[in-house]
Amino acid sequence: EDRDGSCVYQTVLTATLFFPEEGGQSPDKGTIDGITVLDVQIAKGVITHTLEQPLETGCVVTGRVDWRHRFSNMQQHTGEHIFSGVVHRRFGLDNVGFHLSDSVVTMDYNGALSEEQLSEAEWETNRAIAENLPVRVFYPDGEEKHALDYRSKKELTGQVRIVEIEGVDLCACCAPHVSHSGEVGLLKIIDSMRHRGGTRLTLLCGEAALLDYEALHENNAAVSAALSAKRLETGGAIARVMAEQEERRAELTKLK
């Protein structure tokens, strides 16, 4: 049973293209024979699909991955690789935490990043995106693997999947990525904070970044209209209103 008490069914296929929740990334969405896939998990090399309805054991099925959701995850994850590669190369910091949900990407770095450094890294990342660099995925053999200086959050043994963004990043990763950096579209940092002696960032890439900007633009337009201020002067207008209110409060206090 699911948390709400409804029945769900777990299914294992002989082969699947559904990416499970792994490496901090949310799983693929979609359908199997028209039945909604609620979750995809992996344990001990076995991928389990959670469905709304059961499937007959031994039958042949057709899976359909929700491409819009998958492509967004590919944009976010590839954008994170580019950004983390820039931060590692420019400032010597490592990405020690990563979480990709259906709404935002958060990353943790093992050191402080100033506003100036974040701005530099963001601009360099977007230049790399605009250059439409090839994204290569390969499995190096033992000798080649030991010769590669790739990023990894932990020590890896056995076969390792490497994602290379030409001239920008080399990282061990299991997730799907775009084929060229230009498909990321753009990257925008939307929040930064100190976290456990390091820096936690929240960012968005591609369509998700554009939708976030559209929401910010609509909100700013409403503030602009309410304050009769130009759209790039709303911050100053709010500061003036706040200062005027503070003056009125001081006058009222004095009168009382």
Side-chain angles (χ1 to χ4, degrees):
E1 291 187 353
D2 203 354
R3 291 179 180 177
D4 61 2
S6 60
C7 288
V8 294
Y9 303 86
Q10 294 186 321
T11 302
V12 175
L13 307 177
T14 55
T16 182
L17 288 179
F18 281 86
F19 183 77
E21 183 176 15
E22 189 175 21
Q25 179 170 318
S26 61
D28 277 333
K29 297 180 179 180
T31 62
I32 297 177
D33 272 12
I35 302 171
T36 300
V37 176
L38 302 172
D39 191 19
V40 188
Q41 295 291 326
I42 185 170
K44 297 181 180 179
V46 178
I47 296 177
T48 302
H49 311 73
T50 300
L51 308 177
E52 288 183 331
Q53 301 173 33
L55 291 170
E56 182 182 348
T57 301
C59 67
V60 177
V61 297
T62 299
R64 296 186 181 278
V65 173
D66 181 335
W67 175 248
R68 184 172 182 177
H69 177 263
R70 160 73 77 87
F71 186 66
S72 177
N73 278 358
M74 290 162 64
Q75 286 182 310
Q76 313 308 315
H77 209 139
T78 308
E80 178 271 319
H81 274 233
I82 298 171
F83 187 88
S84 292
V86 170
V87 168
H88 180 72
R89 187 178 69 257
R90 291 285 301 276
F91 310 119
L93 299 183
D94 293 316
N95 179 346
V96 294
F98 171 74
H99 179 68
L100 169 54
S101 70
D102 291 343
S103 56
V104 295
V105 182
T106 58
M107 296 118 64
D108 295 335
Y109 293 94
N110 60 350
L113 287 164
S114 67
E115 290 298 320
E116 293 76 13
Q117 289 174 323
L118 290 175
S119 180
E120 288 177 25
E122 185 179 76
W123 275 99
E124 188 167 334
T125 296
N126 281 292
R127 281 197 296 270
I129 290 171
E131 288 172 2
N132 201 30
L133 304 169
V135 179
R136 176 190 175 211
V137 176
F138 64 101
Y139 295 86
D141 58 28
E143 186 175 332
E144 183 185 8
K145 183 178 73 173
H146 290 301
L148 292 173
D149 183 21
Y150 60 87
R151 295 189 302 109
S152 178
K153 294 183 181 66
K154 60 184 179 180
E155 189 70 27
L156 300 175
T157 59
Q159 192 179 56
V160 176
R161 183 177 185 266
I162 299 293
V163 177
E164 178 184 26
I165 303 170
E166 192 175 277
V168 176
D169 189 41
L170 193 67
C171 183
C173 185
C174 63
H177 294 268
V178 298
S179 61
H180 287 80
S181 64
E183 295 174 72
V184 175
L186 71 144
L187 176 144
K188 183 62 186 172
I189 299 170
I190 59 175
D191 190 31
S192 65
M193 61 183 291
R194 296 286 183 245
H195 180 71
R196 295 181 179 178
T199 304
R200 170 166 287 182
L201 298 180
T202 303
L203 60 80
L204 291 171
C205 296
E207 182 181 354
L210 179 60
L211 291 173
D212 182 73
Y213 173 76
E214 286 182 349
L216 285 173
H217 179 73
E218 289 178 4
N219 186 66
N220 189 61
V223 174
S224 174
L227 298 179
S228 299
K230 294 181 179 179
R231 67 185 187 91
L232 297 182
E233 297 176 358
T234 51
I238 290 173
R240 287 193 297 273
V241 169
M242 297 294 290
E244 289 170 0
Q245 288 182 341
E246 189 61 35
E247 288 177 6
R248 291 194 186 99
R249 278 195 291 267
E251 290 173 359
L252 286 171
T253 300
K254 185 178 179 180
L255 289 170
K256 287 179 180 179

